[in-house]
Amino acid sequence: MKVTASIVTYNTDGEELDKCICSMLDDGVEKVYVSDNSENDSLRSLCEGRDKVEYVFNGANLGYGAGHNVAIRKAQKEGTTYHLVINADVYFDKGVIPALTEYMDTNQDVAMAHPKVLYPNGELQYTVRLLPSPKTLIFRRFMSPAAVEEMNYTYLLKFADHDKEMNVPYHQGSFMFFRVSCFDKVGMFDERFFLYPEDIDITRRMHKHYRTMYFPKVSVIHKHMQASYKSKEMLKVHMMNMIKYFNKWGWIFDRERVAWNKRIIAEYSQNK
């Protein structure tokens, strides 16, 4: 197969899931794996009976990365060339998958591609970013709005031209288009992260060996609920997993983070 995709679900709205699946199947994705972490298999009926959809009931909440790994292993066995990791709250018009496939076919040194991501009202989401420090992902929650906005200008690459390609080491996990062969060298999602930093971790691991590209010639819509800002329980999950991330990569001393962020700021600043 040329292109497969996976969605990890957990008590996911059926209408939202159906819209995401239809976007992919209408645009050339040859197989969609729905990796369901829910307590029950109520989504089975929505998925089964569709030729290009495989429903996988995991029987437990494995976490986001582990749920996608279940599907990626299946895609590897299918011999797929590219695999899309996508959130259920993402949808798009025709042309996205063919454009990404052509781009990856042409650029063999690219391991991942990430399109322009928009809110439903058409506003740009800043989904490619610098590698985070503890300040940008943990302590920011306790800072003033003015201080956060100043920090975000740099961290979220707001200074960059988002109509141009960028090679950056952090792609937000709502839409990650992978070259499957690169998993052999880099590995899959780190299952120690239950939720949130697994997208940062896998992008930076890919970035060590390949280009990880923001590709703005196509765009998708992402509803982006920001659950950790609305739920104390999800905030706790977010914080615990970010502690695991910084324990892995370094809190203060992360030379790779410093070097890569410095390069990105220098390379993509519009005012240089």
Side-chain angles (χ1 to χ4, degrees):
M1 291 187 181
K2 186 77 170 184
V3 183
T4 54
S6 57
I7 309 169
V8 170
T9 53
Y10 181 75
N11 300 331
T12 301
D13 178 76
E15 184 176 343
E16 184 174 82
L17 176 62
D18 183 68
K19 188 172 186 178
C20 180
I21 291 173
C22 289
S23 289
M24 292 187 288
L25 295 183
D26 290 346
D27 203 30
V29 173
E30 295 163 89
K31 191 166 191 177
V32 175
Y33 300 97
V34 177
S35 183
D36 194 359
N37 284 342
S38 305
E39 302 95 337
N40 60 66
D41 64 347
S42 61
L43 293 173
R44 185 185 297 274
S45 59
L46 185 149
C47 301
E48 291 188 342
R50 304 171 86 154
D51 290 340
K52 296 181 179 181
V53 179
E54 180 175 337
Y55 177 79
V56 183
F57 181 60
N58 295 320
N61 192 354
L62 306 181
Y64 182 84
H68 279 296
N69 283 347
V70 169
I72 292 168
R73 293 186 186 101
K74 288 178 174 290
Q76 288 175 318
K77 290 180 180 179
E78 294 276 6
T80 188
T81 305
Y82 303 116
H83 184 81
L84 170 61
V85 165
I86 189 171
N87 283 6
D89 59 352
V90 173
Y91 56 94
F92 50 90
D93 294 329
K94 288 184 179 181
V96 172
I97 300 301
L100 288 169
T101 302
E102 182 181 6
Y103 178 73
M104 297 283 275
D105 284 346
T106 304
N107 296 276
Q108 293 292 317
D109 62 335
V110 174
M112 296 170 60
H114 184 82
K116 181 183 288 187
V117 180
L118 306 174
Y119 289 103
N121 66 1
E123 181 184 348
L124 176 69
Q125 287 185 31
Y126 293 97
T127 53
V128 288
R129 304 163 181 175
L130 298 180
L131 287 178
S133 67
K135 181 179 180 181
T136 51
L137 280 193
I138 296 180
F139 303 137
R140 62 184 286 156
R141 295 176 181 271
F142 311 104
M143 299 168 62
S144 70
V148 171
E149 181 58 34
E150 182 178 356
M151 182 172 57
N152 279 348
Y153 180 76
T154 302
Y155 170 58
L156 299 180
L157 305 183
K158 290 186 176 183
F159 58 83
D161 185 349
H162 281 73
D163 289 326
K164 294 182 179 179
E165 293 180 16
M166 293 184 280
N167 180 23
V168 294
Y170 174 10
H171 295 183
Q172 188 223 50
S174 59
F175 193 111
M176 309 173 85
F177 195 78
F178 290 99
R179 187 183 305 277
V180 173
S181 61
C182 295
F183 290 118
D184 295 334
K185 186 178 186 70
V186 174
M188 292 185 288
F189 285 102
D190 188 335
E191 297 185 10
R192 289 175 291 180
F193 305 126
F194 180 78
L195 186 64
Y196 291 115
E198 68 286 314
D199 51 0
I200 314 170
D201 177 82
I202 199 166
T203 313
R204 73 179 289 173
R205 285 192 283 123
M206 291 282 183
H207 194 77
K208 278 176 174 281
H209 306 284
Y210 309 98
R211 288 195 296 154
T212 51
M213 297 299 297
Y214 169 70
F215 181 71
K217 292 184 180 179
V218 291
S219 62
V220 302
I221 305 298
H222 179 211
K223 290 174 67 175
H224 194 42
M225 300 305 292
Q226 291 186 308
S228 69
Y229 282 85
K230 300 177 181 179
S231 162
K232 289 183 178 180
E233 183 59 32
M234 292 310 295
L235 173 59
K236 181 180 177 181
V237 171
H238 194 172
M239 299 286 277
M240 292 301 296
N241 282 274
M242 289 316 307
I243 288 170
K244 291 180 182 180
Y245 171 84
F246 290 117
N247 284 343
K248 176 177 179 177
W249 291 103
W251 287 77
I252 305 300
F253 300 104
D254 183 348
R255 293 181 179 179
E256 189 173 79
R257 177 180 72 210
V258 172
W260 288 356
N261 286 353
K262 184 177 180 180
R263 173 193 59 85
I264 292 165
I265 292 169
E267 185 171 352
Y268 299 117
S269 174
Q270 296 184 77
N271 297 318
K272 64 180 180 179

